[in-house]
Amino acid sequence: MPLLAIETTCDETAAAVIDRSRRVLSSVVASQDELHAQWRGVVPEVASRAHVERIVPVIDEAVARSGVGRAGLEAVAVAVTPGLVGSLLVGLSAAKGIAAVLGCPLIGYDHIAAHLYACRLAHGERMTYPCVGLVASGGHTSLFHVHSPLELERLGGTIDDAAGEAFDKAAALLGLGYPGGPWMERAAIGGNPTAHRFPRPLANDRDRLDVSFSGLKTALRYRIRPPGAPADTPPPTGGEMADLAASFQQAVVETIIAKVELALARTRCRVLAVGGGVAANSALREALERLGRKRRVDVLVPPRELCTDNAAMGGIAWERLERGEDDGLELDVLPGTDRSAARRAS
Ligand code: KG4
Ligand code: ZN
């Protein structure tokens, strides 16, 4: 019998049904982008209230689409860390309610480990361990030595903005929409990625697996509006916009690739698993593929809908269920990194 997974860590309300062979029977995601667009970042209180309104219909739809009745569920899984505390609690409450009614196991899982587990769902047995894991999202940009689905050893990551956050802030500076990643990707089409030389901080520091994106954002700001230029200087348009977007995207991609290459060299892993919303970016996907060919590493990137937040990746809970584990109704959330702060628009 399959399990029901629930995801409400940030601003997506999601539910999915995954069977024991890791087949995704249904996956439903209700995005809140339109609610947060005017603030260009996630407003925690707005997010929790939207989760409350959407969680039951989203779960109902996931169960209905799976073709398995509620009574046919073997367990309930829910992302309990990291995330916004108010958002996490909505998912946890729903999960507890269903687990209590069904009298079935309840498993809490880690959203970041789940992003990497999307590779296991998409690529099956090609996902072997140990491997290097890259999670690049709106709240996190981290590299891991992944010893097993549940054991992630952090090797490094951003010391300031996450990669997705950098895209979101850059899009805001360029007068584009939210979330910024897809807008930046579209704006970059036809642009010259070498038109502007943006900084790649720490990229050449071979002792560190950390990255930094805040200087890149500042460089873009000054390129758009040089010091002394009037405050109402409009963002560029046309070819200049495309060149700026393409050059910015290139800087983010090269910064990430440099550290991924270093992590692969250090760990000598032959498999690279990638996850998180930024992994939906075509320029990054292509650069990762090139890196894989160059280093003879099997690069696993899930399809786009499994990169951005979803509940199908909650299939990771099978790894604990199969060991007979059950967190029970005592399960609690562990907000950890506050992604509202991490994603604050500046
Ligand atoms: O994994 P995700 O859906 O949520 C978090 O866990 O944060 O990632 C969302 C982030 C946003 O910052 C968004 O701008 C970025 O992923 N993103 C992209 C693309 N699609 C989403 N960044 C670059 N290119 C894209 N195509
Ligand atoms: Zn995420």
Side-chain angles (χ1 to χ4, degrees):
M1 291 201 296
L3 68 77
L4 168 71
I6 297 172
E7 151 74 46
T8 59
T9 55
C10 192
D11 60 340
E12 260 91 31
T13 317
V17 176
I18 309 102
D19 73 12
R20 188 178 283 269
S21 61
R22 307 330 188 233
R23 212 158 37 101
V24 181
L25 304 184
S26 66
S27 177
V28 176
V29 181
S31 157
Q32 301 178 9
D33 287 348
E34 80 286 0
L35 296 179
H36 303 288
Q38 60 176 312
W39 313 105
R40 294 189 181 280
V42 178
V43 183
E45 186 54 37
V46 172
S48 343
R49 269 187 270 154
H51 284 309
V52 170
E53 284 166 14
R54 294 163 193 216
I55 189 76
V56 173
V58 164
I59 291 172
D60 283 348
E61 196 176 330
V63 173
R65 278 198 211 167
S66 73
V68 182
R70 276 197 187 195
L73 296 171
E74 180 159 337
V76 181
V78 59
V80 288
T81 190
L84 301 169
V85 64
S87 294
L88 289 166
L89 284 169
V90 178
L92 179 65
S93 307
K96 280 188 180 178
I98 298 170
V101 169
L102 296 179
C104 69
L106 174 64
I107 301 275
Y109 66 87
D110 181 312
H111 176 82
I112 302 297
H115 264 308
L116 294 178
Y117 201 72
C119 293
R120 165 72 178 81
L121 299 176
H123 299 287
E125 302 305 320
R126 274 173 66 193
M127 178 82 182
T128 54
Y129 303 87
C131 64
V132 167
L134 163 70
V135 177
S137 71
H140 300 269
T141 300
S142 301
L143 275 164
F144 299 97
H145 194 182
V146 187
H147 300 286
S148 76
L150 303 169
E151 285 169 277
L152 276 60
E153 179 193 349
R154 193 172 186 278
L155 299 171
T158 185
I159 58 167
D160 40 55
D161 296 350
E165 190 185 359
F167 274 119
D168 293 342
K169 289 177 177 174
L173 289 170
L174 288 167
L176 301 172
Y178 174 85
W183 285 86
M184 288 292 286
E185 182 169 350
R186 277 194 299 274
I189 293 171
N192 175 3
T194 59
H196 298 271
R197 182 72 198 165
F198 286 123
R200 286 128 172 90
L202 303 177
N204 294 323
D205 185 341
R206 293 195 58 83
D207 294 330
R208 286 176 74 178
L209 284 165
D210 293 325
V211 293
S212 162
F213 293 112
S214 71
L216 176 58
K217 171 198 66 190
T218 308
L220 175 67
R221 172 176 300 180
Y222 286 129
R223 208 59 65 90
I224 296 169
R225 177 153 49 91
D232 57 357
T233 306
T237 52
E240 178 55 8
M241 162 77 92
D243 284 353
L244 280 167
S247 302
F248 185 92
Q249 180 173 261
Q250 182 74 5
V252 173
V253 168
E254 284 181 14
T255 302
I256 293 174
I257 292 290
K259 297 301 171 176
V260 170
E261 188 160 15
L262 195 53
L264 287 167
R266 252 196 218 177
T267 59
R268 298 172 188 267
C269 288
R270 312 303 313 165
V271 173
L272 169 68
V274 186
V278 180
N281 183 277
S282 303
L284 179 60
R285 295 169 83 93
E286 285 158 20
L288 288 164
E289 268 173 35
R290 279 195 300 276
L291 177 66
R293 283 195 297 273
K294 177 176 145 193
R295 292 200 69 93
R296 295 169 186 269
V297 165
D298 195 13
V299 176
L300 308 178
V301 188
R304 286 177 173 77
E305 66 277 11
L306 281 178
C307 291
T308 46
D309 283 352
N310 65 86
M313 61 196 197
I316 192 172
W318 275 116
E319 300 293 328
R320 295 191 52 215
L321 263 179
E322 284 175 342
R323 295 184 193 169
E325 294 180 24
D326 176 4
D327 291 319
L329 297 177
E330 298 304 307
L331 181 63
D332 205 352
V333 299
L334 191 71
T337 324
D338 181 344
R339 294 201 289 174
S340 65
R343 297 181 70 168
R344 205 173 40 227
S346 70

